[in-house]
Amino acid sequence: MAPVSAGPEIERLIQLLARLPGLGPRSARRAALFLIKKREALMAPLAAALQTALEKVEVCRTCGNIDTQNPCTICTDPRRDASAIVVVADVADLWALERAHAINARFHVLGGTLSPLDGIGPDDLAIDGLVKRAHDPAVKEVILALNATVDGQSTAHYITDLLHDREIKVTRLAHGVPVGGELDYLDEGTLAAAMRSRTPF
Ligand code: ZN
């Protein structure tokens, strides 16, 4: 066992911080020390913000986003284009698209991707809810913003098949050269995908 140099309350704080993504035991120790030193300026407001989040944060019953109101801010925003639903695997993907101001549409969070190896099937994801939403006559396009992985793409194919009988456009994100990317550094799969999905200039 590692030698313990702080009281059990502080050790507990360090252990909890070490569970956060991107923080190992060493950086958790540093973060705990920083919080303790900034007790009034940082630790107290952080504790209050965590408490508020604990009490108020809910999963949106329409789209699966996380917010303090239900339905969420995006679902209730009348300025959003109601004709398109952007399908993402995770809330983190939704937030990433929002940060990029990529599209002013509504979203649908699946809660993962199909993964036979991990035992994740269609019933484990919010696919039924998506199909119901796609039956709204106002919806003209479903945009599959899923990972360019085997699981992401098989999920995209599965959803496309389910929406086949609808008068709806199903699109997916382009695969290819990243903005600012140099061809020489790309892997063969990405280069081949970029060539296949070339667009008129
Ligand atoms: Zn929502």
Side-chain angles (χ1 to χ4, degrees):
M1 248 178 90
V4 174
S5 52
E9 295 84 0
I10 294 173
E11 283 299 327
R12 171 133 181 87
L13 176 64
I14 294 166
Q15 279 169 14
L16 288 170
L17 287 171
R19 286 197 211 164
L20 295 174
L23 281 194
R26 187 189 284 261
S27 25
R29 202 161 280 278
R30 214 175 293 146
L33 193 58
F34 189 77
L35 283 170
I36 291 165
K37 282 184 184 163
K38 304 270 178 192
R39 203 184 157 98
E40 289 308 317
L42 187 59
M43 204 203 284
L46 179 66
L50 284 172
Q51 186 61 37
T52 310
L54 184 65
E55 287 162 7
K56 295 199 175 155
V57 167
E58 287 184 67
V59 175
C60 173
R61 60 175 168 268
T62 306
C63 75
N65 187 19
I66 291 172
D67 202 350
T68 50
Q69 64 177 66
N70 196 354
C72 71
T73 312
I74 293 175
C75 284
T76 51
D77 183 354
R79 290 162 302 178
R80 294 267 168 173
D81 177 8
S83 71
I85 299 176
V86 183
V87 179
V88 291
D90 200 85
V91 175
D93 303 328
L94 187 164
W95 289 358
L97 287 165
E98 283 290 283
R99 273 201 310 279
H101 302 289
I103 190 166
N104 187 39
R106 304 250 162 94
F107 289 89
H108 192 88
V109 181
L110 294 176
T113 43
L114 295 174
S115 177
L117 282 178
D118 298 317
I120 301 173
D123 293 343
D124 301 306
L125 305 177
I127 291 178
D128 278 357
L130 172 64
V131 173
K132 278 196 197 94
R133 289 181 72 191
H135 276 82
D136 183 332
V139 176
K140 306 289 178 217
E141 181 175 4
V142 168
I143 303 164
L144 301 169
L146 298 168
N147 290 338
T149 57
V150 172
D151 286 348
Q153 293 312 296
S154 58
T155 310
H157 283 293
Y158 183 83
I159 292 172
T160 307
D161 286 346
L162 283 181
L163 298 175
H164 189 65
D165 57 334
R166 294 265 301 113
E167 289 283 312
I168 202 166
K169 192 160 85 173
V170 181
T171 55
R172 62 158 190 157
L173 296 189
H175 295 171
V177 183
V179 174
E182 295 181 33
L183 298 193
D184 195 21
Y185 286 92
L186 293 184
D187 64 280
E188 289 81 3
T190 305
L191 264 180
M195 190 54 83
R196 277 197 304 274
S197 41
R198 64 189 182 275
T199 51
F201 197 64

